[in-house]
Amino acid sequence: QVHLVESGGGLVEAGGSLNLSCVASGLTFNTYTMGWFRQAPGKEREFVASNGWDGDNAYYGHAVLGRFSVSRDNAKNTVYLQLKNLRTEDTAVYYCAAPRLARAFSRSSQYSFYEHWGQGTQVTVSS
């Protein structure tokens, strides 16, 4: 059974930074693309970033491009999301996700690509 656990969320002032982590279990982590999404109250879940299984490929949502950075440590079964220059509109619950298929990366920005989701971690950016 795949299990994803996010951590690192919190309250930060606009312009600040946060580092999120997601520890995965129940899958061969180094063969799976991992994704980050976020969902603000009253809004649909939004793609943030994805990271290919070998760490060589990354893709970002337009809203976070140039401010957020995704990385992974396959030895620790962990994917990271570094959030910089945060804005109030970045306030949301952030989720990590894993797809059903290993060694897949195309369509990694699409919600339907993913089958497994963590419980989320709240990020709140104050003005």
Side-chain angles (χ1 to χ4, degrees), residues 8-99:
L11 174 63
V12 63
E13 291 185 351
S17 300
L18 278 176
N19 294 309
L20 307 184
S21 300
C22 171
V23 179
S25 59
L27 74 170
T28 306
F29 185 76
N30 63 2
T31 65
Y32 281 82
T33 290
M34 297 296 293
W36 286 96
F37 283 73
R38 66 185 182 185
Q39 189 165 20
K43 294 188 177 181
E44 294 186 352
R45 198 165 291 194
E46 175 189 21
F47 171 73
V48 174
S50 60
N51 190 244
W53 62 90
D54 56 5
D56 287 346
N57 294 299
Y59 187 59
Y60 296 93
H62 179 74
V64 307
L65 189 62
R67 300 187 297 121
F68 292 8
S69 178
V70 63
S71 62
R72 63 194 295 155
D73 185 339
N74 284 341
K76 296 182 178 180
N77 281 16
T78 302
V79 61
Y80 304 99
L81 186 67
Q82 186 179 46
L83 291 66
K84 292 184 176 180
N85 191 20
L86 282 160
R87 305 168 181 169
T88 55
E89 55 263 40
D90 294 319
T91 295
V93 178
Y94 283 71
Y95 299 91
C96 72

Coordinates of all heavy atoms in Angstrom, one line a residue, residues 8-99:
G8 N 6.2 20.2 6.8 CA 6.9 21.4 6.5 C 6.1 22.6 6.3 O 6.6 23.7 6.1
G9 N 4.8 22.5 6.2 CA 3.9 23.6 6.1 C 3.9 24.5 7.3 O 4.5 24.2 8.3
G10 N 3.3 25.7 7.1 CA 3.3 26.6 8.3 C 2.8 28.0 7.8 O 2.3 28.2 6.7
L11 N 3.0 28.9 8.7 CA 2.6 30.3 8.5 C 3.9 31.1 8.2 O 4.8 31.0 9.0 CB 1.9 30.9 9.7 CG 1.6 32.4 9.7 CD1 0.6 32.7 8.6 CD2 1.0 32.8 11.1
V12 N 3.8 31.9 7.1 CA 5.0 32.7 6.8 C 4.5 34.0 6.2 O 3.4 34.1 5.6 CB 5.9 31.9 5.7 CG1 5.1 31.6 4.5 CG2 7.2 32.6 5.5
E13 N 5.3 35.0 6.3 CA 5.0 36.3 5.7 C 5.3 36.3 4.2 O 6.1 35.6 3.7 CB 5.8 37.4 6.4 CG 5.4 37.7 7.9 CD 6.1 38.9 8.5 OE1 7.1 39.4 7.8 OE2 5.8 39.3 9.6
A14 N 4.6 37.2 3.5 CA 4.8 37.3 2.1 C 6.3 37.7 1.9 O 6.9 38.5 2.6 CB 3.9 38.4 1.5
G15 N 6.9 37.0 0.8 CA 8.3 37.2 0.5 C 9.2 36.2 1.2 O 10.3 36.0 0.9
G16 N 8.6 35.4 2.1 CA 9.4 34.4 2.8 C 9.5 33.1 2.1 O 9.0 33.0 0.9
S17 N 10.0 32.1 2.8 CA 10.3 30.8 2.2 C 9.8 29.7 3.1 O 9.8 29.8 4.3 CB 11.8 30.6 1.9 OG 12.3 31.6 1.0
L18 N 9.6 28.5 2.5 CA 9.3 27.3 3.2 C 9.8 26.1 2.5 O 10.0 26.2 1.2 CB 7.8 27.1 3.4 CG 7.0 27.8 4.5 CD1 5.5 27.6 4.4 CD2 7.5 27.4 5.9
N19 N 10.1 25.1 3.2 CA 10.6 23.8 2.5 C 9.6 22.7 2.9 O 9.5 22.4 4.1 CB 12.0 23.5 3.0 CG 13.0 24.5 2.5 OD1 13.0 24.8 1.3 ND2 13.8 25.0 3.3
L20 N 9.0 22.1 1.9 CA 8.1 21.0 2.2 C 8.8 19.7 1.8 O 9.6 19.6 1.0 CB 6.8 21.1 1.3 CG 6.1 22.4 1.4 CD1 4.8 22.3 0.6 CD2 5.8 22.8 2.8
S21 N 8.4 18.7 2.6 CA 8.9 17.3 2.3 C 7.7 16.3 2.2 O 6.7 16.5 2.7 CB 9.8 16.9 3.5 OG 10.9 17.7 3.6
C22 N 8.0 15.3 1.4 CA 7.0 14.2 1.3 C 7.8 12.9 1.3 O 8.6 12.6 0.4 CB 6.2 14.3 0.0 SG 5.1 12.9 -0.4
V23 N 7.5 12.1 2.3 CA 8.1 10.8 2.4 C 7.2 9.7 1.9 O 6.0 9.7 2.3 CB 8.5 10.5 3.9 CG1 9.1 9.1 4.0 CG2 9.4 11.5 4.4
A24 N 7.7 8.9 1.0 CA 6.8 7.8 0.4 C 7.2 6.4 0.9 O 8.4 6.2 1.2 CB 7.0 7.9 -1.1
S25 N 6.3 5.6 1.0 CA 6.5 4.2 1.3 C 5.5 3.3 0.5 O 4.5 3.8 0.0 CB 6.3 3.9 2.8 OG 5.0 4.2 3.2
G26 N 5.9 2.0 0.3 CA 5.0 1.1 -0.4 C 5.1 1.1 -1.9 O 4.3 0.6 -2.6
L27 N 6.2 1.8 -2.4 CA 6.5 1.8 -3.8 C 8.0 1.8 -4.0 O 8.7 2.2 -3.1 CB 5.8 3.0 -4.5 CG 6.3 4.4 -4.4 CD1 5.7 5.3 -5.4 CD2 6.2 4.9 -3.0
T28 N 8.4 1.4 -5.2 CA 9.8 1.5 -5.6 C 10.1 3.0 -6.0 O 10.0 3.3 -7.1 CB 10.2 0.6 -6.7 OG1 9.8 -0.8 -6.3 CG2 11.7 0.5 -6.9
F29 N 10.4 3.8 -5.0 CA 10.4 5.2 -5.1 C 11.2 5.7 -6.3 O 10.8 6.6 -7.0 CB 10.9 5.9 -3.8 CG 10.8 7.4 -3.8 CD1 9.6 8.0 -3.6 CD2 12.0 8.1 -3.9 CE1 9.5 9.4 -3.6 CE2 11.9 9.5 -3.9 CZ 10.7 10.2 -3.7
N30 N 12.4 5.1 -6.5 CA 13.3 5.6 -7.6 C 12.8 5.3 -9.0 O 13.5 5.5 -10.0 CB 14.7 5.1 -7.4 CG 14.9 3.6 -7.4 OD1 13.9 2.9 -7.7 ND2 16.1 3.2 -7.2
T31 N 11.6 4.7 -9.1 CA 11.1 4.5 -10.5 C 9.8 5.3 -10.7 O 9.1 5.1 -11.7 CB 10.8 3.0 -10.7 OG1 9.7 2.6 -9.8 CG2 12.0 2.1 -10.5
Y32 N 9.4 6.1 -9.7 CA 8.2 6.9 -9.8 C 8.4 8.4 -9.9 O 9.1 9.0 -9.1 CB 7.3 6.6 -8.7 CG 6.5 5.3 -8.8 CD1 7.2 4.1 -8.4 CD2 5.2 5.2 -9.3 CE1 6.5 2.9 -8.6 CE2 4.6 4.0 -9.4 CZ 5.2 2.9 -9.1 OH 4.6 1.7 -9.2
T33 N 7.8 9.0 -10.9 CA 7.6 10.5 -10.9 C 6.8 10.9 -9.7 O 5.9 10.1 -9.3 CB 6.9 10.9 -12.2 OG1 7.8 10.8 -13.3 CG2 6.4 12.4 -12.1
M34 N 7.1 12.0 -9.1 CA 6.4 12.5 -7.9 C 5.9 13.9 -8.3 O 6.5 14.7 -8.9 CB 7.2 12.5 -6.7 CG 7.7 11.2 -6.2 SD 6.3 10.1 -5.7 CE 5.7 10.9 -4.3
G35 N 4.7 14.2 -7.8 CA 4.1 15.5 -8.1 C 3.7 16.2 -6.9 O 3.5 15.6 -5.8
W36 N 3.6 17.5 -7.0 CA 3.0 18.4 -6.0 C 1.8 19.2 -6.5 O 1.9 19.7 -7.6 CB 4.1 19.4 -5.5 CG 5.1 18.8 -4.6 CD1 6.4 18.4 -5.0 CD2 5.1 18.6 -3.2 NE1 7.1 18.0 -3.9 CE2 6.3 18.1 -2.8 CE3 4.1 18.9 -2.2 CZ2 6.6 17.8 -1.4 CZ3 4.3 18.6 -0.9 CH2 5.6 18.0 -0.5
F37 N 0.8 19.2 -5.8 CA -0.4 20.0 -6.1 C -0.8 20.9 -4.9 O -0.3 20.6 -3.8 CB -1.6 19.1 -6.5 CG -1.5 18.5 -7.8 CD1 -0.6 17.4 -8.1 CD2 -2.4 18.8 -8.8 CE1 -0.5 16.9 -9.4 CE2 -2.3 18.3 -10.1 CZ -1.4 17.3 -10.4
R38 N -1.7 21.8 -5.1 CA -2.2 22.6 -4.0 C -3.6 22.9 -4.2 O -4.1 22.9 -5.4 CB -1.4 23.9 -3.9 CG -1.5 24.9 -5.0 CD -0.6 26.1 -4.8 NE -0.8 27.1 -5.9 CZ 0.0 28.2 -6.0 NH1 1.0 28.4 -5.1 NH2 -0.2 29.0 -6.9
Q39 N -4.3 23.1 -3.2 CA -5.7 23.5 -3.2 C -6.1 24.5 -2.2 O -5.9 24.3 -1.0 CB -6.6 22.2 -3.0 CG -8.1 22.5 -3.3 CD -8.8 21.1 -3.4 OE1 -8.4 20.1 -2.9 NE2 -10.0 21.2 -4.1
A40 N -6.5 25.7 -2.7 CA -7.0 26.7 -1.9 C -8.5 26.6 -1.6 O -9.2 26.0 -2.4 CB -6.7 28.1 -2.5
P41 N -9.0 27.2 -0.6 CA -10.5 27.1 -0.3 C -11.3 27.5 -1.4 O -11.1 28.6 -2.0 CB -10.6 28.0 0.9 CG -9.3 28.0 1.6 CD -8.3 27.9 0.5
G42 N -12.3 26.7 -1.8 CA -13.2 27.1 -2.9 C -12.6 27.0 -4.3 O -13.3 27.4 -5.3
K43 N -11.4 26.5 -4.4 CA -10.8 26.4 -5.7 C -10.4 24.9 -6.0 O -10.3 24.1 -5.1 CB -9.5 27.2 -5.8 CG -9.7 28.7 -5.7 CD -8.5 29.5 -5.9 CE -8.7 31.0 -5.9 NZ -7.5 31.8 -6.2
E44 N -10.2 24.6 -7.3 CA -9.8 23.3 -7.7 C -8.4 23.0 -7.4 O -7.6 24.0 -7.2 CB -10.0 23.1 -9.2 CG -11.5 23.2 -9.7 CD -11.6 22.9 -11.1 OE1 -10.6 22.8 -11.8 OE2 -12.8 22.7 -11.6
R45 N -8.0 21.7 -7.3 CA -6.7 21.4 -7.0 C -5.8 21.8 -8.2 O -6.1 21.5 -9.4 CB -6.6 19.9 -6.7 CG -5.3 19.5 -6.0 CD -5.4 18.1 -5.4 NE -6.3 18.0 -4.3 CZ -6.4 17.0 -3.4 NH1 -5.6 16.0 -3.6 NH2 -7.3 17.1 -2.5
E46 N -4.7 22.4 -7.9 CA -3.8 23.0 -9.0 C -2.5 22.3 -9.0 O -1.8 22.1 -7.9 CB -3.7 24.5 -8.7 CG -2.7 25.3 -9.6 CD -2.5 26.7 -9.1 OE1 -2.7 26.9 -7.9 OE2 -2.1 27.5 -9.9
F47 N -2.0 22.1 -10.2 CA -0.6 21.5 -10.4 C 0.4 22.5 -10.0 O 0.4 23.7 -10.4 CB -0.4 21.1 -11.8 CG 1.0 20.7 -12.1 CD1 1.5 19.5 -11.6 CD2 1.8 21.5 -12.9 CE1 2.8 19.1 -11.9 CE2 3.1 21.1 -13.2 CZ 3.6 19.9 -12.7
V48 N 1.4 22.1 -9.2 CA 2.5 22.9 -8.8 C 3.8 22.5 -9.4 O 4.5 23.3 -10.1 CB 2.7 22.9 -7.2 CG1 3.9 23.7 -6.8 CG2 1.4 23.4 -6.5
A49 N 4.2 21.2 -9.3 CA 5.5 20.8 -9.8 C 5.5 19.2 -9.9 O 4.8 18.6 -9.2 CB 6.6 21.3 -9.0
S50 N 6.3 18.7 -10.8 CA 6.6 17.3 -10.8 C 8.1 17.0 -11.0 O 8.8 17.9 -11.6 CB 5.8 16.6 -11.9 OG 6.1 17.1 -13.2
N51 N 8.5 15.9 -10.6 CA 9.9 15.5 -10.6 C 10.0 14.1 -11.1 O 9.4 13.2 -10.5 CB 10.5 15.7 -9.2 CG 12.0 15.6 -9.2 OD1 12.6 14.7 -8.6 ND2 12.7 16.5 -9.9
G52 N 10.8 13.9 -12.2 CA 10.9 12.5 -12.7 C 11.6 11.6 -11.8 O 12.4 12.0 -10.9
W53 N 11.5 10.3 -12.1 CA 12.0 9.3 -11.1 C 13.5 9.4 -10.9 O 14.0 9.0 -9.8 CB 11.6 7.9 -11.6 CG 12.1 7.5 -12.9 CD1 13.3 6.9 -13.2 CD2 11.5 7.7 -14.2 NE1 13.5 6.7 -14.5 CE2 12.4 7.2 -15.2 CE3 10.3 8.3 -14.6 CZ2 12.1 7.2 -16.5 CZ3 10.0 8.4 -15.9 CH2 10.9 7.8 -16.9
D54 N 14.2 9.9 -11.9 CA 15.7 9.9 -11.7 C 16.1 11.3 -11.3 O 17.3 11.6 -11.2 CB 16.4 9.5 -13.0 CG 16.0 10.3 -14.2 OD1 15.2 11.3 -14.0 OD2 16.4 10.0 -15.3
G55 N 15.2 12.2 -11.2 CA 15.5 13.6 -10.7 C 16.0 14.5 -11.9 O 16.3 15.7 -11.6
D56 N 16.1 14.0 -13.1 CA 16.6 14.8 -14.2 C 15.6 15.7 -14.8 O 15.9 16.6 -15.6 CB 17.3 13.9 -15.2 CG 18.6 13.3 -14.7 OD1 19.1 13.8 -13.8 OD2 19.1 12.3 -15.4
N57 N 14.3 15.3 -14.6 CA 13.2 16.1 -15.3 C 12.4 16.7 -14.2 O 12.0 16.1 -13.2 CB 12.4 15.2 -16.1 CG 13.2 14.6 -17.3 OD1 13.7 15.4 -18.1 ND2 13.3 13.3 -17.3
A58 N 12.0 18.0 -14.4 CA 11.1 18.7 -13.5 C 10.2 19.6 -14.4 O 10.6 20.1 -15.5 CB 11.9 19.6 -12.5
Y59 N 9.0 19.8 -13.9 CA 8.0 20.6 -14.6 C 7.3 21.4 -13.6 O 7.0 20.9 -12.5 CB 7.1 19.7 -15.4 CG 6.2 20.4 -16.3 CD1 6.6 21.2 -17.4 CD2 4.8 20.2 -16.2 CE1 5.7 21.8 -18.2 CE2 3.9 20.8 -17.0 CZ 4.4 21.6 -18.1 OH 3.5 22.3 -18.9
Y60 N 7.0 22.6 -13.9 CA 6.4 23.5 -13.0 C 5.1 24.2 -13.5 O 5.0 24.4 -14.7 CB 7.3 24.7 -12.6 CG 8.6 24.2 -11.9 CD1 9.7 23.8 -12.6 CD2 8.6 24.0 -10.5 CE1 10.8 23.4 -11.9 CE2 9.7 23.5 -9.8 CZ 10.8 23.2 -10.6 OH 11.9 22.7 -9.9
G61 N 4.2 24.4 -12.6 CA 3.0 25.2 -13.0 C 3.4 26.6 -13.2 O 4.3 27.2 -12.7
H62 N 2.6 27.3 -14.1 CA 2.9 28.7 -14.5 C 3.0 29.6 -13.3 O 3.8 30.5 -13.2 CB 1.9 29.1 -15.5 CG 2.1 30.5 -16.0 ND1 3.1 30.9 -16.8 CD2 1.5 31.7 -15.7 CE1 3.1 32.2 -17.1 NE2 2.1 32.7 -16.4
A63 N 2.1 29.4 -12.3 CA 2.0 30.3 -11.2 C 3.2 30.3 -10.3 O 3.4 31.2 -9.5 CB 0.7 30.0 -10.4
V64 N 4.0 29.2 -10.3 CA 5.1 29.1 -9.4 C 6.5 29.1 -10.1 O 7.5 29.0 -9.4 CB 4.9 27.8 -8.5 CG1 3.6 27.8 -7.9 CG2 5.2 26.5 -9.4
L65 N 6.4 29.1 -11.4 CA 7.7 29.0 -12.2 C 8.6 30.1 -11.8 O 8.3 31.3 -11.7 CB 7.4 29.1 -13.7 CG 8.5 28.8 -14.6 CD1 9.0 27.4 -14.5 CD2 8.0 29.1 -16.1
G66 N 9.9 29.7 -11.4 CA 10.9 30.7 -11.1 C 10.9 31.0 -9.6 O 11.9 31.6 -9.1
R67 N 9.9 30.5 -8.8 CA 9.9 30.8 -7.4 C 10.0 29.4 -6.6 O 10.5 29.4 -5.5 CB 8.6 31.5 -7.0 CG 8.4 32.8 -7.6 CD 7.2 33.6 -7.1 NE 6.0 32.9 -7.3 CZ 5.1 32.5 -6.4 NH1 5.4 32.7 -5.1 NH2 4.0 31.8 -6.7
F68 N 9.4 28.4 -7.1 CA 9.4 27.1 -6.4 C 10.4 26.1 -7.1 O 10.7 26.3 -8.3 CB 8.1 26.4 -6.4 CG 7.0 27.1 -5.6 CD1 7.2 28.4 -5.0 CD2 5.8 26.5 -5.4 CE1 6.3 29.0 -4.3 CE2 4.8 27.2 -4.7 CZ 5.0 28.4 -4.1
S69 N 11.0 25.2 -6.3 CA 11.9 24.2 -6.9 C 11.6 22.9 -6.3 O 11.5 22.7 -5.1 CB 13.3 24.7 -6.5 OG 14.3 23.7 -7.0
V70 N 11.5 21.9 -7.2 CA 11.3 20.5 -6.7 C 12.5 19.7 -6.9 O 13.3 19.9 -7.8 CB 10.1 19.9 -7.6 CG1 10.5 19.7 -9.0 CG2 9.7 18.5 -7.0
S71 N 12.8 18.8 -5.9 CA 13.9 17.9 -5.9 C 13.6 16.6 -5.2 O 12.5 16.5 -4.6 CB 15.1 18.6 -5.3 OG 14.9 18.9 -3.9
R72 N 14.5 15.7 -5.2 CA 14.2 14.4 -4.5 C 15.5 13.8 -4.1 O 16.6 14.0 -4.6 CB 13.4 13.5 -5.4 CG 14.2 13.0 -6.7 CD 13.3 12.4 -7.7 NE 12.7 11.1 -7.2 CZ 11.6 10.6 -7.6 NH1 10.9 11.2 -8.5 NH2 11.1 9.4 -7.1
D73 N 15.4 12.9 -3.0 CA 16.5 12.1 -2.6 C 16.0 10.7 -2.6 O 15.2 10.3 -1.7 CB 16.9 12.5 -1.1 CG 18.1 11.8 -0.6 OD1 18.4 10.7 -1.2 OD2 18.7 12.3 0.3
N74 N 16.4 9.9 -3.6 CA 15.8 8.6 -3.7 C 16.3 7.6 -2.6 O 15.7 6.7 -2.3 CB 16.2 8.0 -5.1 CG 15.4 8.6 -6.2 OD1 14.3 9.1 -6.0 ND2 15.8 8.5 -7.4
A75 N 17.4 8.0 -2.0 CA 17.9 7.2 -0.9 C 17.1 7.3 0.3 O 17.0 6.4 1.2 CB 19.4 7.5 -0.6
K76 N 16.3 8.4 0.4 CA 15.5 8.7 1.6 C 14.0 8.6 1.2 O 13.1 8.9 2.0 CB 15.7 10.1 2.1 CG 17.1 10.2 2.7 CD 17.3 11.6 3.3 CE 18.7 11.8 3.9 NZ 18.9 13.1 4.4
N77 N 13.7 8.1 0.0 CA 12.3 8.0 -0.5 C 11.5 9.3 -0.2 O 10.4 9.3 0.2 CB 11.6 6.9 0.2 CG 11.9 5.5 -0.3 OD1 12.9 5.4 -1.1 ND2 11.1 4.5 0.0
T78 N 12.2 10.5 -0.5 CA 11.6 11.8 -0.2 C 11.7 12.7 -1.4 O 12.7 12.8 -2.1 CB 12.4 12.4 1.0 OG1 12.3 11.5 2.1 CG2 11.8 13.7 1.4
V79 N 10.6 13.4 -1.6 CA 10.6 14.5 -2.6 C 10.4 15.8 -1.8 O 9.6 15.8 -0.8 CB 9.5 14.2 -3.6 CG1 8.1 14.2 -3.0 CG2 9.5 15.3 -4.7
Y80 N 11.0 16.8 -2.3 CA 11.0 18.1 -1.6 C 10.4 19.2 -2.5 O 10.4 19.1 -3.8 CB 12.4 18.6 -1.3 CG 13.2 17.6 -0.4 CD1 14.1 16.7 -1.0 CD2 13.0 17.5 0.9 CE1 14.8 15.7 -0.3 CE2 13.7 16.6 1.7 CZ 14.6 15.7 1.1 OH 15.3 14.8 1.9
L81 N 9.8 20.2 -1.9 CA 9.4 21.4 -2.6 C 9.8 22.6 -1.9 O 9.4 22.8 -0.7 CB 7.8 21.4 -2.8 CG 7.3 22.5 -3.6 CD1 7.7 22.3 -5.1 CD2 5.8 22.6 -3.5
Q82 N 10.7 23.3 -2.5 CA 11.2 24.6 -1.9 C 10.4 25.7 -2.4 O 10.3 26.0 -3.6 CB 12.7 24.8 -2.3 CG 13.4 26.0 -1.6 CD 14.8 26.1 -1.9 OE1 15.2 26.0 -3.1 NE2 15.6 26.3 -0.9
L83 N 9.8 26.5 -1.5 CA 8.9 27.6 -1.9 C 9.6 28.9 -1.5 O 10.0 29.1 -0.3 CB 7.6 27.5 -1.1 CG 6.6 26.4 -1.4 CD1 7.2 25.0 -1.0 CD2 5.3 26.7 -0.7
K84 N 9.9 29.8 -2.5 CA 10.5 31.0 -2.2 C 9.6 32.2 -2.7 O 8.7 32.0 -3.5 CB 11.9 31.1 -3.0 CG 12.9 30.1 -2.4 CD 14.2 30.3 -3.2 CE 15.3 29.4 -2.6 NZ 16.6 29.6 -3.3
N85 N 10.0 33.4 -2.2 CA 9.2 34.6 -2.6 C 7.7 34.3 -2.5 O 7.0 34.6 -3.5 CB 9.7 35.0 -4.0 CG 9.2 36.4 -4.4 OD1 8.8 37.2 -3.5 ND2 9.1 36.7 -5.6
L86 N 7.3 33.8 -1.4 CA 5.9 33.4 -1.3 C 4.9 34.6 -1.3 O 5.3 35.8 -0.9 CB 5.7 32.7 0.0 CG 6.1 31.2 -0.1 CD1 6.4 30.6 1.3 CD2 5.1 30.4 -0.8
R87 N 3.8 34.4 -1.9 CA 2.7 35.4 -2.1 C 1.5 35.0 -1.3 O 1.3 33.8 -1.1 CB 2.4 35.6 -3.5 CG 3.6 35.9 -4.4 CD 3.3 35.8 -5.9 NE 4.5 36.1 -6.7 CZ 4.5 35.9 -8.0 NH1 3.5 35.3 -8.6 NH2 5.6 36.2 -8.7
T88 N 0.6 35.9 -1.0 CA -0.6 35.5 -0.3 C -1.4 34.5 -1.1 O -2.1 33.6 -0.5 CB -1.4 36.7 0.0 OG1 -1.7 37.4 -1.2 CG2 -0.7 37.7 1.0
E89 N -1.4 34.6 -2.4 CA -2.1 33.7 -3.3 C -1.5 32.3 -3.3 O -2.1 31.4 -3.9 CB -2.2 34.2 -4.7 CG -0.9 34.6 -5.4 CD -0.6 36.0 -5.3 OE1 -0.8 36.6 -4.2 OE2 0.0 36.6 -6.3
D90 N -0.4 32.1 -2.7 CA 0.2 30.7 -2.5 C -0.5 30.0 -1.4 O -0.2 28.8 -1.2 CB 1.7 30.8 -2.3 CG 2.4 31.3 -3.6 OD1 2.1 30.9 -4.7 OD2 3.4 32.1 -3.4
T91 N -1.3 30.6 -0.6 CA -1.9 30.0 0.6 C -2.8 28.9 0.1 O -3.7 29.1 -0.8 CB -2.8 31.0 1.3 OG1 -1.9 32.0 1.9 CG2 -3.6 30.3 2.4
A92 N -2.6 27.7 0.6 CA -3.3 26.5 0.2 C -2.8 25.3 1.0 O -1.8 25.4 1.7 CB -3.1 26.2 -1.3
V93 N -3.6 24.2 0.8 CA -3.1 22.9 1.3 C -2.2 22.3 0.2 O -2.7 22.2 -1.0 CB -4.2 22.0 1.7 CG1 -3.6 20.6 2.1 CG2 -5.0 22.6 2.8
Y94 N -1.0 21.9 0.5 CA -0.1 21.3 -0.5 C -0.1 19.8 -0.4 O 0.1 19.3 0.7 CB 1.3 21.9 -0.4 CG 1.4 23.3 -0.9 CD1 0.7 24.4 -0.3 CD2 2.1 23.6 -2.1 CE1 0.8 25.7 -0.8 CE2 2.1 24.9 -2.6 CZ 1.5 25.9 -1.9 OH 1.5 27.2 -2.5
Y95 N -0.3 19.1 -1.5 CA -0.3 17.7 -1.5 C 0.8 17.1 -2.4 O 1.1 17.6 -3.5 CB -1.6 17.2 -2.1 CG -2.9 17.6 -1.4 CD1 -3.5 18.8 -1.7 CD2 -3.4 16.8 -0.3 CE1 -4.7 19.2 -1.0 CE2 -4.5 17.2 0.3 CZ -5.2 18.4 0.0 OH -6.3 18.8 0.7
C96 N 1.4 16.0 -2.0 CA 2.2 15.3 -2.9 C 1.5 14.1 -3.4 O 0.5 13.6 -2.8 CB 3.6 14.8 -2.3 SG 3.5 13.5 -1.1
A97 N 1.9 13.6 -4.6 CA 1.2 12.5 -5.3 C 2.1 11.6 -6.0 O 3.2 12.1 -6.5 CB 0.1 13.2 -6.2
A98 N 1.7 10.4 -6.2 CA 2.4 9.4 -7.0 C 1.5 8.8 -8.0 O 0.3 8.6 -7.7 CB 3.0 8.3 -6.1
P99 N 2.0 8.5 -9.2 CA 1.1 7.9 -10.2 C 0.9 6.4 -10.1 O 1.6 5.8 -9.2 CB 1.9 8.2 -11.5 CG 3.3 8.2 -11.1 CD 3.3 8.8 -9.7

